[in-house]
Amino acid sequence: MTVALMWEARAVPGRGGDLLTWTRTQNLPGTPLRRETFRAPGDRVLIITWWDAPYDAELPELPEPPGELLTRPVHRWRFESVASG
């Protein structure tokens, strides 16, 4: 099964670049199948990692960034892949 972990944070206005840089320096203990980084208006950053694991597996996630970068706590979601059809 493939599990996708989504991590989304909103930076203090004007600090989106700093948040993006911070996320890129964060290494996970373990190697996901894939890791992608996205940004959006409003100084938001989204990281999605894909893992070959059961839905309820203990998986490494990015930590909370330094508080001075954030306007709110990080949002986290977990999804499992489903067969096409």
Side-chain angles (χ1 to χ4, degrees), residues 5-73:
L5 301 182
M6 296 177 64
W7 179 102
E8 187 263 342
R10 185 172 191 151
V12 171
R15 302 279 318 262
D18 296 330
L19 179 59
L20 183 60
T21 298
W22 181 88
T23 62
R24 289 181 167 167
T25 65
Q26 301 306 301
N27 293 315
L28 295 169
T31 304
L33 298 171
R34 192 163 118 203
R35 176 177 170 165
E36 288 192 55
T37 302
F38 302 86
R39 65 180 173 185
D43 292 306
R44 291 179 293 144
V45 175
L46 171 69
I47 311 295
I48 305 174
T49 56
W50 286 262
W51 302 88
D52 182 18
Y55 183 81
D56 58 353
E58 292 246 353
L59 296 170
E61 295 193 48
L62 291 173
E64 290 281 325
E68 67 270 8
L69 289 179
L70 299 178
T71 60
R72 58 163 170 75

